[in-house]
Amino acid sequence: MLEIDAVTCTKQDRCLFDSLSFTLHAGQIMQIEGPNGAGKTSLLRIIAGFARADEGQIRYNSTDIRDDYDSFAADLLFIGHKTGVNQQLSAYENVQHWLMVHGAQADEEEVYTLLAKLGLIGLEDVPVRTLSAGQQRRVALVRLWLNQAKLWVLDEPFTALDKKGVAMLQTQFQSHLDKGGAILLTTHQDLTAHFAQLQTLALEYRL
Ligand SMILES: Nc1ncnc2c1ncn2[C@@H]1O[C@H](COP(=O)(O)OP(=O)(O)OP(=O)(O)O)[C@@H](O)[C@H]1O
């Protein structure tokens, strides 16, 4: 599904990674680990096509993502450190916005059921900026339940979630993998007990 081929990235005269290669197949989850500043976010942004590698190629279904970015983007769900939630809008309004952007359909009852599942009922009409950090993260993650994208690229998705939130997210990951999706994520959470098919990639802090 996704091939990272000899990718090199240098920032501020420091080589973060050099000639990095790996493959992610349908049904697989890969965790990128490493200390602060190692280059995890930089790698995710290159893979998502938001930044250019100094060298190397990212292929999706055997095609360089730059040759057919629209098809790649249609299959990609990226949730970064900055979660992409509109802070001025309510959770409900954010969901309506994402549905429109992704051309997805969900009736009002489905939206409310999802918001209830994520513990956001009673909070769905207030501006997101007034919610707690964990509640804001839950709003950002609603997209994982709404989206048909096959490839999820997620930067620290567990940040600020409580234990129940972490468990719910892991269950949703498994459901995505079972349907043939693939997940690439950074997290400091130990996922080894939860995903038999977990692959890990450790980036070192290079001087
Ligand atoms: N836009 C940029 N311009 C210059 N340097 C950058 C830029 N983005 C990242 N860097 C540098 O690249 C290095 C790697 O940053 P990156 O955010 O990829 O690390 P990370 O492994 O995700 O770290 P963390 O665990 O703290 O989130 C850092 O030293 C950072 O200062």
Side-chain angles (χ1 to χ4, degrees):
M1 186 185 243
L2 183 72
E3 292 164 82
I4 310 313
D5 185 6
V7 168
T8 296
C9 176
T10 300
K11 290 261 167 82
Q12 299 174 16
D13 294 331
R14 187 164 67 86
C15 179
L16 302 180
F17 40 85
D18 177 24
S19 213
L20 181 70
S21 297
F22 62 86
T23 306
L24 190 67
H25 296 288
Q28 286 186 328
I29 176 168
M30 176 178 275
Q31 177 176 7
I32 299 168
E33 299 172 314
N36 294 140
K40 303 179 295 296
T41 297
S42 302
L43 176 59
L44 292 192
R45 289 179 52 77
I46 288 169
I47 290 171
F50 301 154
R52 271 189 181 273
D54 296 302
E55 286 173 44
Q57 195 181 46
I58 312 295
R59 289 190 291 276
Y60 183 70
N61 294 336
S62 308
T63 301
D64 187 326
I65 60 168
R66 302 209 166 266
D67 289 344
D68 188 4
Y69 191 75
D70 287 351
S71 299
F72 175 62
D75 263 5
L76 171 71
L77 177 62
F78 180 92
I79 301 181
H81 240 298
K82 289 179 188 155
T83 55
V85 175
N86 186 321
Q87 300 282 315
Q88 310 307 324
L89 299 181
S90 68
Y92 183 84
E93 289 165 336
N94 269 284
V95 170
Q96 292 301 337
H97 173 71
W98 289 321
L99 284 170
M100 202 175 64
V101 168
H102 297 299
Q105 301 287 328
D107 62 31
E108 196 148 313
E109 195 183 332
E110 285 174 297
V111 173
Y112 276 104
T113 304
L114 180 54
L115 290 170
K117 185 182 176 72
L118 285 154
L120 294 167
I121 280 298
L123 303 165
E124 74 275 13
D125 289 331
V126 300
V128 168
R129 67 182 148 75
T130 65
L131 301 180
S132 74
Q135 289 165 340
Q136 291 191 25
R137 174 65 54 174
R138 284 164 180 255
V139 175
L141 294 172
V142 165
R143 277 168 288 178
L144 300 180
W145 276 262
L146 293 174
N147 206 282
Q148 299 301 312
K150 292 196 180 84
L151 174 64
W152 292 358
V153 177
L154 310 171
D155 200 354
E156 299 284 354
F158 295 101
T159 301
L161 289 184
D162 58 21
K163 282 184 186 167
K164 209 170 149 190
V166 168
M168 187 170 54
L169 191 52
Q170 286 169 342
T171 303
Q172 183 63 2
F173 282 179
Q174 191 59 58
S175 153
H176 184 60
L177 299 171
D178 291 344
K179 285 186 269 183
I183 305 172
L184 188 63
L185 82 163
T186 65
T187 179
H188 297 288
Q189 196 89 18
D190 184 359
L191 298 176
T192 43
H194 297 277
F195 300 101
Q197 63 278 66
L198 182 76
Q199 300 185 74
T200 54
L201 170 75
L203 291 183
E204 289 171 11
Y205 188 94
R206 299 167 68 158
L207 296 172

